[in-house]
Structure formats: structure tokens, C-alpha cells
């Protein structure tokens, strides 16, 4: 194991006894699958909230303790207690984050989680990579990815939206797709968004594609990505492309580059530190006051065979 690869470490809330082992030997998650008897017993212990978490870990690779607590639990303590149990029964693996620098535990699917979701996305950097054989192999592939910081930042965007729905009864995150899911669904257009979502608030439903920008690519590369979204509008949705950037300077340069350049779909910029549900978005075509996410223009596209993933609002049927 490389020196900078995170190693598993118990949560503070996990008070189960830990066998002694030499200091030089890192604790590894067990690859041994549970017996059939244990498996049935553990599966019956999973709650609806547990299933939601495992579904997210199958689609979005990993989440931090804080992200899980924010989206699903009333407090971080209650999250730690439940996560300790899920770790004990093999529903999740956990690692200390030393790559992205948060110092928190990061959670991925464990052997029991892989039973519930036997065909998860396994490699955030190489969608065409061979499937992993075990949950341990999958966990180490994800944790060892050079895209770990970017992945956590992308997932934080959606976690913040999900957390907002807990305080606003009118708000719902109706769709949360990973990069791999969205890229596969819209493969004909060749888009590669970092995430895709459908957001409902204040009586409006808005689809969007997220480009989570850490400022590591030049502006020309960022703007070149918009061409694929232009192709998608010819037969699919015209969702706003959200360019979320780390600072005002980066945002200003993007808006200057987009000024006077018409696009078939809306393009909006926003900052990492601003809440994505709130008045955080500046339309490139109309850079006035910042808009709420639900205020952005959005079109689900034609209801035809060329748009098979078109979102249909239940209230419209």
C-alpha cells in the first residue's frame, strides 16, 4: 500500500473491542463475506435510511462522515453511532481521509453493501475499468484515485441540496446522477458532467448539469466542454450548465469569456462556498442579480424517442 493511501480506522463511537496488532500493520477491512445466516440477520437490520446511504455509495463511490450526517441524520453523534454499527456488520468500509485533507472518515460499500448493490460504479477515474472482485478492492481503488478531492467536492454540492430538503418541505432532489451515470445516459452527445440533478423548489422543477471546477483547468478547456451540451440540446434537454468555481476571480474570467457568446442552453456560474439552493447563480446571458437554483431557466426537452431520459413531472401526468 502506498504511504499516502488512507488506512481504515475506527470511528470514535465504535466501542467494540479491537484485537491487538503490531503498530506497523494497518487495520484493513475484512474481505471475508458474512455467512448466510449472518447475511439474512444483517439485511433485516438495515433501515430505509441505511438503504438510502448504500444506494448513494453504490452510485457516488464515497461520502464523508460530515456529508452523511448532514444529509441523513439529526446530529453527527447519531450518524457516528449508526455508521459504527454499519461498519461492524460489513455494510460499509471506512478509511481516514489523508489525500483530500479533511481528516474525516470516508465511507464506501462494504461486503454486505455489495450484496445489496452488486453492480456499483467502481472507478471514478476510469469508467471502462474492469469490475472489482471484492468490496475491499473497490474501496482501495476509490480511495487511491487522484480525483478524490474533486469527487468529494462534487458530492458536497448534492449533499447540500439534500440537506436543504430537510428544512424546506417544498424542496426535493428528484434526481442525483453521478458523472458515470450521466455520461452513459447521454453518451450520444458526449457530455461528461461531474453530476446531473433534477431540483424542485417553490413550485418549479429545474434540471441541471454540474461542472465542479477547482481552478486546475484553463478557461479554454472549460469552455470547450460546452460544445457537447450544445449537441445535446438538438434532441434532448436544455438544462442549465452550472460552472461552480472556487473564487470570484475565476468566476469573473468565465463570465467575461462567455459575454456575448450565445449558447443553446443556459450557462450559470456560482461559487463553492455559496449554498447551491440559494441565490448563488449568475446567468452568463443575463448577469444581473444572482438567482436561486429553482429560478434558472430549464427545459426537459421533447417527449420523443431521441430523449429517453426525459424527466416527467408526476403533476403533469
Amino acid at each position: 500500500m502506498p504511504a499516502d493511501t488512507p488506512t481504515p480506522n475506527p470511528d470514535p463511537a465504535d466501542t467494540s473491542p479491537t484485537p491487538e496488532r503490531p503498530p506497523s500493520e494497518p487495520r484493513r477491512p475484512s474481505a471475508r463475506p458474512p455467512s448466510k445466516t449472518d447475511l439474512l440477520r444483517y439485511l433485516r437490520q438495515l433501515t430505509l435510511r441505511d438503504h438510502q446511504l448504500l444506494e448513494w455509495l453504490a452510485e457516488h463511490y464515497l461520502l464523508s462522515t460530515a456529508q452523511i450526517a448532514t444529509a441523513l441524520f439529526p446530529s453527527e453523534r447519531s450518524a457516528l453511532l449508526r455508521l459504527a454499527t454499519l461498519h461492524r456488520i460489513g455494510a460499509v468500509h471506512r478509511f481516514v481521509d489523508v489525500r483530500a485533507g479533511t481528516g474525516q472518515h470516508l465511507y464506501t460499500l462494504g461486503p454486505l453493501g455489495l450484496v445489496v448493490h452488486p453492480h456499483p460504479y467502481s472507478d471514478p477515474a476510469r469508467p471502462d475499468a474492469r469490475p472489482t472482485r471484492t468490496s475491499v478492492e473497490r474501496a482501495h481503488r476509490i480511495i487511491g484515485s487522484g480525483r478524490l478531492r474533486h469527487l468529494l467536492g462534487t458530492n458536497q454540492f448534492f449533499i447540500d441540496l439534500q440537506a436543504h430538503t430537510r428544512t424546506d418541505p417544498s424542496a426535493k432532489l428528484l434526481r442525483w446522477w453521478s458523472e458515470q451515470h450521466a455520461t452513459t445516459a447521454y453518451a450520444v452527445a458526449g457530455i461528461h458532467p461531474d453530476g446531473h440533478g433534477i431540483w424542485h423548489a417553490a413550485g418549479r422543477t429545474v434540471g441541471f448539469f454540474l461542472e465542479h471546477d477547482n481552478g486546475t483547468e484553463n478557461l479554454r478547456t472549460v469552455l470547450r466542454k460546452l460544445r457537447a451540451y450544445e449537441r445535446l440540446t438538438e434532441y434532448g434537454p436544455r438544462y442549465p450548465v452550472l460552472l461552480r468555481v472556487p473564487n470570484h476571480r475565476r468566476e469573473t474570467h468565465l463570465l467575461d469569456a462567455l459575454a456575448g457568446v450565445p449558447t443553446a442552453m443556459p450557462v450559470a456560474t456560482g461559487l463553492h462556498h455559496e449554498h447551491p439552493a440559494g441565490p448563488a447563480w449568475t446567468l452568463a446571458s443575463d448577469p444581473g442579480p444572482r438567482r436561486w437554483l429553482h429560478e434558472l431557466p430549464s427545459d426537459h426537452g421533447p417527449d420523443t424517442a431521441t430523449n429517453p431520459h426525459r424527466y416527467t413531472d408526476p403533476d403533469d401526468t
Side-chain angles (χ1 to χ4, degrees), residues 223 226 241 243 251 254-263 265-269 281-288 291 296:
L223 296 177
L226 298 179
V241 178
L243 304 177
E251 182 181 37
L254 270 174
L255 289 172
D256 287 345
L258 288 165
V261 179
T263 56
M265 70 289 169
V267 178
T269 62
W281 303 103
T282 298
L283 273 175
S285 61
D286 184 18
R291 306 191 186 198
L296 295 178

Side-chain angles (χ1 to χ4, degrees), residues 24-133:
S24 60
E25 182 183 352
R27 175 193 290 266
R28 290 178 177 270
S30 173
R32 181 179 62 83
S35 67
K36 289 184 178 180
T37 301
D38 287 341
L39 179 62
L40 291 174
R41 177 162 56 89
Y42 293 157
L43 287 173
R44 286 195 294 267
Q45 293 178 19
L46 296 177
T47 66
L48 290 176
R49 182 169 57 189
D50 297 336
H51 279 285
Q52 177 68 85
L53 173 59
L54 296 181
E55 180 181 335
W56 286 348
L57 294 179
E59 168 103 2
H60 306 290
Y61 305 106
L62 84 169
L63 293 167
S64 70
T65 302
Q67 289 174 337
I68 294 169
T70 298
L72 294 174
F73 289 86
S75 69
E76 185 162 320
R77 174 172 172 76
S78 63
L80 286 171
L81 290 171
R82 187 57 187 166
L83 287 168
T85 298
L86 293 177
H87 176 259
R88 178 176 55 79
I89 66 177
V92 299
H93 290 313
R94 65 187 177 202
F95 296 80
V96 173
D97 171 22
V98 296
R99 280 184 180 268
T102 69
Q104 298 185 68
H105 285 102
L106 304 178
Y107 292 85
T108 64
L109 284 183
L112 182 66
L114 208 56
V115 170
V116 179
H117 294 280
H119 303 291
Y121 295 134
S122 296
D123 195 318
R126 298 178 301 156
D128 58 345
R130 63 170 179 79
T132 53
R133 292 173 294 179

Side-chain angles (χ1 to χ4, degrees), residues 6-275:
T7 55
N9 195 47
D11 281 330
D14 189 353
T15 57
S16 56
T18 303
E20 294 293 329
R21 62 179 66 234
S24 60
E25 182 183 352
R27 175 193 290 266
R28 290 178 177 270
S30 173
R32 181 179 62 83
S35 67
K36 289 184 178 180
T37 301
D38 287 341
L39 179 62
L40 291 174
R41 177 162 56 89
Y42 293 157
L43 287 173
R44 286 195 294 267
Q45 293 178 19
L46 296 177
T47 66
L48 290 176
R49 182 169 57 189
D50 297 336
H51 279 285
Q52 177 68 85
L53 173 59
L54 296 181
E55 180 181 335
W56 286 348
L57 294 179
E59 168 103 2
H60 306 290
Y61 305 106
L62 84 169
L63 293 167
S64 70
T65 302
Q67 289 174 337
I68 294 169
T70 298
L72 294 174
F73 289 86
S75 69
E76 185 162 320
R77 174 172 172 76
S78 63
L80 286 171
L81 290 171
R82 187 57 187 166
L83 287 168
T85 298
L86 293 177
H87 176 259
R88 178 176 55 79
I89 66 177
V92 299
H93 290 313
R94 65 187 177 202
F95 296 80
V96 173
D97 171 22
V98 296
R99 280 184 180 268
T102 69
Q104 298 185 68
H105 285 102
L106 304 178
Y107 292 85
T108 64
L109 284 183
L112 182 66
L114 208 56
V115 170
V116 179
H117 294 280
H119 303 291
Y121 295 134
S122 296
D123 195 318
R126 298 178 301 156
D128 58 345
R130 63 170 179 79
T132 53
R133 292 173 294 179
T134 68
S135 61
V136 174
E137 182 184 351
R138 178 179 183 268
H140 279 284
R141 185 181 293 184
I142 293 168
I143 295 295
S145 170
R147 302 190 65 209
L148 187 62
R149 178 169 170 263
H150 186 272
L151 184 60
L152 286 169
T154 298
N155 287 349
Q156 186 65 51
F157 174 95
F158 290 93
I159 289 295
D160 288 342
L161 290 180
Q162 181 64 31
H164 183 78
T165 67
R166 302 175 67 191
T167 60
D168 181 354
S170 75
K172 294 180 182 178
L173 181 58
L174 300 170
R175 181 186 287 177
W176 174 12
W177 286 1
S178 64
E179 175 183 357
Q180 191 166 347
H181 191 156
T183 297
T184 301
Y186 298 108
V188 176
I191 66 172
H192 295 276
D194 294 316
H196 162 53
I198 305 285
W199 176 246
H200 179 87
R204 294 198 71 240
T205 301
V206 174
F208 61 85
F209 295 109
L210 174 66
E211 293 287 346
H212 181 78
D213 179 84
N214 283 327
T216 57
E217 296 177 324
N218 62 53
L219 293 182
R220 182 174 298 179
T221 299
V222 175
L223 296 177
R224 193 160 48 234
K225 296 178 180 180
L226 298 179
R227 297 174 186 172
Y229 295 106
E230 293 265 8
R231 289 194 296 270
L232 181 61
T233 65
E234 297 173 6
Y235 55 84
R238 295 190 176 196
Y239 290 148
V241 178
L242 308 182
L243 304 177
R244 202 169 193 228
V245 298
N247 53 59
H248 285 285
R249 181 180 180 184
R250 178 79 163 177
E251 182 181 37
T252 298
H253 288 165
L254 270 174
L255 289 172
D256 287 345
L258 288 165
V261 179
T263 56
M265 70 289 169
V267 178
T269 62
L271 300 171
H272 288 184
H273 68 269
E274 295 180 328
H275 197 289

